[in-house]
Amino acid sequence: MATKTKKPLTSKQRTTRILVTAIIVTVALLIGSIAGALAYSNYLNGGGASRRLISFKTDHYKVNNCMLTYYYFTDAYNYYQNYGPYMAYMAPSQQAPDMTSSLSNQYYDYGTDSGTPKSWHEYLLNMTLSNVQGYLFYAEEALENDFECDVASLVDEYINNMKKDAKKNNITFEEHLEKFYGTTVKEKDVREALNLQYFASEYLNHLQDEYKKVVTDEELDKYVEENADTVNIIDYYSFSFETEIPEDMTDEDKTAADEANKTAAAALEEELKNAEDKPAAFKEWVTTYLTEKNLLEEEPMSEEDLATEIETKTAETTNQTKDEKSEFSLWAFEDGRVAGDIININEATAKHTVYLLTNPVHIDEDPTKNVRHILLTADEYGSNEAAKAKAEEVLDEFLNGETHTEADFDTIAEEYNEDGSSYYENVAKDAMVDTFDAWIFDESREVGDTGIVETQYGYHVMYFSGEGVPAWKADAISSIVEDKITAFAEELVEKYESSLTVNQENLLKIPDAFPAEAFSEPAETNAGGTEPEETEPTETETSTDDTTTDTAETSETTEDTTEETSEETAE
């Protein structure tokens, strides 16, 4: 399979990401509107002709069809890898595509509701076109502001890792590119594409960092006020007494079941009201109830299963936000609620639930942690044993250095780390896989601590950077910065849209099917180094109405669109 963007390998949940593709340009992109968009046309063989076709151009940057093919295929492969089994469910047509056949003839949406059919080629390519416009606009802005970064080393790392992957599969790098991108995309095309993508992405990262530095207390207070329903949380215990009601159950039996559950719920409620340590009383009472109930079953649970059931039913529910549809939630979020408040709610026929509020409305002040790591994998070193040995070697290299600063660790991470990031900031409890999480949240952990942690991803050489901000504040800062980036992206559209030239004719020459060999081994990847920010699908407006955009304004002359692009993306 083709290049797959590296995600935070230790994360259990998807974190909010601010992407280049916040930009959506309302240019009429007519791909898919002309029947039979070109598949693998013979004249594209070798890439020379395709390289001379300019599909996008701004004042200082251009994207030719070879670059665009690389972007498109990479985005499509990523999409397929992430959503392959679910693509049929995600499409209005309920049809998953055959990626190796013409996507122009396979429909993402038949147009039943919209009135406008959309092919899978149109749907997937539009994601890439939106991404590319984002790259161009951020790159133009970075250039105007004299932004500098070491793009060359990032591109070299990525290309070198692609070459390593090719070598592992006993093929040349050229064969590797042809396997995944066809005959038109060569190394210089990948380099040009990555130069632009990394430059834009690094500038976006720079903006995010700058915005984070200047978030004010006033902005944080405003965020809390405007997002009270998501910022404010509660903690509680609950236990439901419930009987399954089959369709043929008589009213008499329903009443009997309801009364039995009502009585049991009242007994638990009374027990809690009279207890000094209410959480302990809740756990003890529920444990006894479940144990005695199990003994009366025709087929009682095993001791192990019963223990699991008890552990689940007596666990505290934490960090719950307000639910306007829940009677309990509306009660719990009322002013004046205190820890120890109890409510018994008849939630359905033969269902009575007792709730014990343990922590009334509050903001999530749970701590977060900052950590650096260096991931070493069996894929890279041949076996788990070799990866572990390398992790020990890397840790020794750090510990044997003249100094043991965080900067020293980061320097070593740049050389060895296989993850997309070596630094995780404001990590919340349980956000990472268990062993990683346990290490950073160890109560004895101090700044500068190091170690090696094994996860399902490999071996992580760890460096503890210190405490992060409280969880609520981390979420608030992330949201505030995201809003600022979104607003900034809208400004970029206004600023650079008029300088953007889109050649519709050249867009129609982008291949609409993928090499069959790329799907022959689904587990294979040509992922190399740290790819730029993952491009999240953001659909560009598509229209078959020629009046939306004047073709003369969005297409270059034949002479302009067939010029050779240089090795450097910037003119």
Side-chain angles (χ1 to χ4, degrees), residues 433-453:
V433 292
D434 293 342
T435 51
F436 196 105
D437 185 85
W439 191 89
I440 61 176
F441 279 92
D442 188 316
E443 292 183 359
S444 66
R445 191 65 57 225
E446 295 182 356
V447 174
D449 281 358
T450 59
I452 295 176
V453 171

Side-chain angles (χ1 to χ4, degrees), residues 424-480:
Y424 289 112
E425 184 179 30
N426 299 324
V427 180
K429 179 70 174 170
D430 297 326
M432 300 299 202
V433 292
D434 293 342
T435 51
F436 196 105
D437 185 85
W439 191 89
I440 61 176
F441 279 92
D442 188 316
E443 292 183 359
S444 66
R445 191 65 57 225
E446 295 182 356
V447 174
D449 281 358
T450 59
I452 295 176
V453 171
E454 181 183 6
T455 72
Q456 61 264 47
Y457 302 105
Y459 289 88
H460 305 257
V461 182
M462 309 289 286
Y463 181 97
F464 187 66
S465 301
E467 300 293 325
V469 299
W472 77 267
K473 192 172 184 179
D475 290 340
I477 291 173
S478 177
S479 180
I480 291 168

Side-chain angles (χ1 to χ4, degrees), residues 2-3 31-32 37-40 55-56 63-80 87 97-106 119-132 135 180-181 184-185 193 197 506-515 519 531 535:
T3 302
I31 56 98
L38 296 178
Y40 283 104
S55 46
F56 286 90
V63 174
N64 64 39
N65 273 25
C66 286
M67 295 167 64
L68 186 57
T69 298
Y70 169 77
Y71 287 138
Y72 176 39
F73 279 30
T74 298
D75 288 347
Y77 286 136
N78 284 338
Y79 188 89
Y80 183 84
M87 289 173 78
D98 174 1
M99 301 294 284
T100 62
S101 298
S102 172
L103 295 177
S104 297
N105 297 322
Q106 302 178 64
S119 70
W120 271 104
H121 179 54
E122 184 178 0
Y123 176 74
L124 293 171
L125 182 54
N126 268 330
M127 294 180 188
T128 296
L129 300 183
S130 180
N131 293 342
V132 171
Y135 304 151
F180 292 106
Y181 298 100
T184 65
V185 177
Q197 191 176 0
N506 289 346
L507 291 181
L508 291 171
K509 296 173 183 175
I510 296 298
D512 71 341
F514 297 76
F519 293 87
E531 189 174 75
T535 53

Side-chain angles (χ1 to χ4, degrees), residues 172-236:
T172 66
F173 183 52
E174 290 72 23
E175 291 170 333
H176 185 77
L177 289 179
E178 183 172 342
K179 176 175 182 177
F180 292 106
Y181 298 100
T183 59
T184 65
V185 177
K186 307 302 180 185
E187 179 176 344
K188 65 178 180 179
D189 304 311
V190 178
R191 285 187 176 276
E192 282 196 77
L194 289 175
N195 276 331
L196 174 62
Q197 191 176 0
Y198 269 119
F199 189 49
S201 181
E202 290 298 296
Y203 184 62
L204 174 59
N205 291 336
H206 165 74
L207 290 176
Q208 289 176 265
D209 291 340
E210 292 303 307
Y211 284 143
K212 283 181 183 179
K213 295 176 183 177
V214 296
V215 172
T216 65
D217 290 340
E218 289 75 15
E219 287 175 316
L220 291 171
D221 291 341
K222 182 180 179 182
Y223 175 86
V224 171
E225 181 180 349
E226 293 179 349
N227 297 273
D229 287 348
T230 56
V231 172
N232 292 321
I233 56 175
I234 57 170
D235 304 332
Y236 62 91

Side-chain angles (χ1 to χ4, degrees), residues 160-460:
N160 288 338
N161 281 319
M162 290 179 74
K163 290 180 177 179
K164 287 181 183 178
D165 196 67
K167 187 176 181 180
K168 286 180 183 178
N169 290 285
N170 297 314
I171 57 177
T172 66
F173 183 52
E174 290 72 23
E175 291 170 333
H176 185 77
L177 289 179
E178 183 172 342
K179 176 175 182 177
F180 292 106
Y181 298 100
T183 59
T184 65
V185 177
K186 307 302 180 185
E187 179 176 344
K188 65 178 180 179
D189 304 311
V190 178
R191 285 187 176 276
E192 282 196 77
L194 289 175
N195 276 331
L196 174 62
Q197 191 176 0
Y198 269 119
F199 189 49
S201 181
E202 290 298 296
Y203 184 62
L204 174 59
N205 291 336
H206 165 74
L207 290 176
Q208 289 176 265
D209 291 340
E210 292 303 307
Y211 284 143
K212 283 181 183 179
K213 295 176 183 177
V214 296
V215 172
T216 65
D217 290 340
E218 289 75 15
E219 287 175 316
L220 291 171
D221 291 341
K222 182 180 179 182
Y223 175 86
V224 171
E225 181 180 349
E226 293 179 349
N227 297 273
D229 287 348
T230 56
V231 172
N232 292 321
I233 56 175
I234 57 170
D235 304 332
Y236 62 91
Y237 289 99
S238 68
F239 186 76
S240 294
F241 301 85
E242 183 176 13
T243 301
E244 185 177 346
I245 306 296
E247 291 184 3
D248 59 351
M249 192 174 194
T250 65
D251 290 342
E252 182 179 354
D253 287 342
K254 289 179 184 178
T255 300
D258 187 74
E259 284 298 321
N261 291 337
K262 180 180 179 180
T263 300
L268 173 56
E269 181 183 13
E270 187 65 23
E271 179 72 16
L272 295 177
K273 286 180 178 179
N274 295 326
E276 291 187 9
D277 187 343
K278 292 180 177 12
F282 173 88
K283 292 181 180 180
E284 182 178 352
W285 196 97
V286 171
T287 298
T288 300
Y289 175 83
L290 291 174
T291 302
E292 293 177 351
K293 182 182 178 183
N294 187 55
L295 293 174
L296 300 176
E297 299 289 343
E298 291 184 6
E299 297 182 6
M301 290 183 284
S302 65
E303 289 187 9
E304 183 178 353
D305 288 343
L306 177 60
T308 300
E309 176 80 355
I310 290 172
E311 182 179 3
T312 301
K313 298 294 187 181
T314 59
E316 184 180 26
T317 301
T318 61
N319 299 344
Q320 294 299 296
T321 55
K322 189 175 184 179
D323 180 358
E324 295 289 347
K325 297 181 179 180
S326 165
E327 181 180 349
F328 162 70
S329 185
L330 293 174
W331 171 85
F333 277 86
E334 290 176 352
D335 292 339
R337 287 278 161 240
V338 297
D341 280 357
I342 304 161
I343 188 171
N344 182 354
I345 301 177
N346 182 191
E347 297 185 321
T349 301
K351 181 179 180 181
H352 296 259
T353 303
V354 177
Y355 293 91
L356 169 62
L357 190 64
T358 52
N359 195 358
V361 178
H362 62 285
I363 291 177
D364 187 1
E365 295 284 355
D366 288 347
T368 63
K369 309 292 182 180
N370 299 330
V371 64
R372 292 189 182 275
H373 82 130
I374 301 169
L375 173 64
L376 303 124
T377 69
D379 285 345
E380 179 68 21
Y381 294 99
S383 67
N384 282 331
E385 293 74 16
K388 181 180 180 181
K390 188 63 180 180
E392 293 170 347
E393 177 185 323
V394 170
L395 180 57
D396 286 342
E397 179 179 339
F398 172 70
L399 295 177
N400 292 331
E402 293 184 5
T403 58
H404 309 132
T405 66
E406 188 168 353
D408 295 330
F409 189 91
D410 188 45
T411 299
I412 295 176
E414 290 179 2
E415 180 178 354
Y416 297 107
N417 187 35
E418 297 176 53
D419 190 6
S421 174
S422 63
Y423 182 58
Y424 289 112
E425 184 179 30
N426 299 324
V427 180
K429 179 70 174 170
D430 297 326
M432 300 299 202
V433 292
D434 293 342
T435 51
F436 196 105
D437 185 85
W439 191 89
I440 61 176
F441 279 92
D442 188 316
E443 292 183 359
S444 66
R445 191 65 57 225
E446 295 182 356
V447 174
D449 281 358
T450 59
I452 295 176
V453 171
E454 181 183 6
T455 72
Q456 61 264 47
Y457 302 105
Y459 289 88
H460 305 257

